[in-house]
């Protein structure tokens, strides 16, 4: 079976990506993280951030196919039973990774300190 193309490629130079890897949709860390991120929708939109959840077992709930999710897990070296958050810049490069729940403000401040975001704010 051929390896699927990188499902994030379509977002490069248009969006920043926040990937939340979780074994299941009812994982405690995932639920906590979603509660923290949900009120920040306007902040994510303003910063061109797309949030995606990648799970091991509940893959039908994702915009990515099962094979694409497997590819993402392999690409970012995430174990099937692991919780992890990865921020990917518009250039497609990994900017931040955590295996614990992260405050929205930490990621928003990190994005706002990036050179590309600073240019966007000047415009």
């Amino acid at each position: 079976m051929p390896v699927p193309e990188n499902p994030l490629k379509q977002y490069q130079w248009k969006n920043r990506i926040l990937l939340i890897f979780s074994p299941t949709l009812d994982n405690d860390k995932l639920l906590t993280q979603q509660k923290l991120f949900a009120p920040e929708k306007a902040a994510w939109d303003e910063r061109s951030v797309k949030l995606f959840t990648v799970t091991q077992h509940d893959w039908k709930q994702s915009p990515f196919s099962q094979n694409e999710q497997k590819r993402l897990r392999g690409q970012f070296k995430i174990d099937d039973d692991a919780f992890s958050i990865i921020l990917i810049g518009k250039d497609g490069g990994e900017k931040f990774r955590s295996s614990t729940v992260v405050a929205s403000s930490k990621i928003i401040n990190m994005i706002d300190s990036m050179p590309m975001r600073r240019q966007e704010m000047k415009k």
Side-chain angles (χ1 to χ4, degrees):
M1 181 187 307
V3 174
E5 186 178 318
N6 182 349
L8 303 179
K9 189 174 175 133
Q10 63 184 309
Y11 302 105
Q12 193 168 356
W13 303 115
K14 293 183 216 126
N15 298 100
R16 293 171 183 90
I17 305 292
L18 256 176
L19 290 174
I20 307 172
F21 290 90
S22 176
T24 61
L25 288 173
D26 61 359
N27 176 279
D28 288 341
K29 286 182 180 177
L30 173 62
L31 296 173
T32 301
Q33 190 66 72
Q34 288 173 326
K35 279 183 192 155
L36 292 174
F37 282 175
E40 302 297 341
K41 180 164 179 8
W44 301 134
D45 290 347
E46 181 184 325
R47 290 161 182 82
S48 305
V49 174
K50 297 263 186 208
L51 280 87
F52 297 112
T53 302
V54 179
T55 63
Q56 175 56 25
H57 303 290
D58 306 308
W59 54 269
K60 289 180 183 171
Q61 303 296 320
S62 173
F64 304 122
S65 71
Q66 186 176 18
N67 281 340
E68 288 171 330
Q69 290 190 63
K70 283 181 182 175
R71 185 192 193 285
L72 289 171
R73 281 188 175 282
Q75 178 181 342
F76 293 104
K77 296 174 179 56
I78 306 292
D79 291 336
D80 291 349
D81 60 348
F83 173 85
S84 194
I85 299 168
I86 298 178
L87 172 64
I88 299 160
K90 285 187 173 183
D91 64 358
E94 183 178 322
K95 307 300 181 192
F96 174 77
R97 179 185 292 237
S98 176
S99 59
T100 60
V101 173
V102 178
S104 301
S105 59
K106 180 173 182 172
I107 294 176
I108 289 168
N109 291 337
M110 193 178 310
I111 291 170
D112 287 349
S113 72
M114 293 175 178
M116 198 177 291
R117 173 65 182 150
R118 282 197 174 120
Q119 287 178 338
E120 292 169 2
M121 290 189 294
K122 284 181 186 173
K123 289 181 183 176

